[in-house]
Structures are given as C-alpha cells and as structure tokens.
Amino acid sequence: MFKPIAHPADCEVRSVIRFLNAKNVKPAKIHRQLIEIYGENLMTDGMVRKWVRQFNDERSNVHDEARSGRPSVAIDGLVAKVNEKIRENRK
C-alpha cells in the first residue's frame, strides 16, 4: 500500500511524467501510477498523453509557460504591506 500525496504542485506531477516517460513507461501506465499516488482527480489520461508528447518533442521545462492576459496587481511591496496589517490585527 502506498501513502497518498495530497495537493501536489503541477510541476511536481509533470516532473514525475517526464521521469517515467524517460524510462519508456507508457502513458496509460503513467496515468494509473499518478492516480494511485495523487488521487482520482489529479489529471486525465488525455492530459498525461499531452505532456508525454511535449516531452517527446524535446520540451524539458515542467513549469507553466508565461501567458498573456491581465497582469497581476500583487507586487512585492503590496504583499508585504498586507502581511504587516495581518500581523498587526493578530495582536
């Protein structure tokens, strides 16, 4: 019996896919192993196949690509101020 891992980071799961793919494990078996350790709602079989294709096409980065869209307004200074206010309110 395996100990399940809850709430893995996306890059962790993709790293596992990349590793198993490098060992020539078939996508369906990769998916079964992921579900066994991380749980049923982790990733579909189709998404595992998509990542396997990308890694076979020489992709090595397991992190999300930058996307266009609305920029984040949470800058470091703002985050620091919010954290400071939270600490003040806890006293």
Side-chain angles (χ1 to χ4, degrees), residues 17 21 27 30 48-57:
I17 294 170
N21 182 54
I30 293 173
V48 171
R49 292 178 190 282
K50 174 188 167 198
W51 280 104
V52 166
R53 276 192 308 273
Q54 288 186 24
F55 293 132
N56 287 339
D57 290 340

Side-chain angles (χ1 to χ4, degrees), residues 1 3 22 28 30 38 42-43 46 56 60 64 66 71 75 79 85 88:
M1 186 71 182
K3 181 180 177 184
I30 293 173
Y38 295 110
L42 177 72
M43 184 181 284
N56 287 339
S60 60
D64 290 325
I75 56 175
V79 172
K85 291 294 182 186
E88 287 176 6

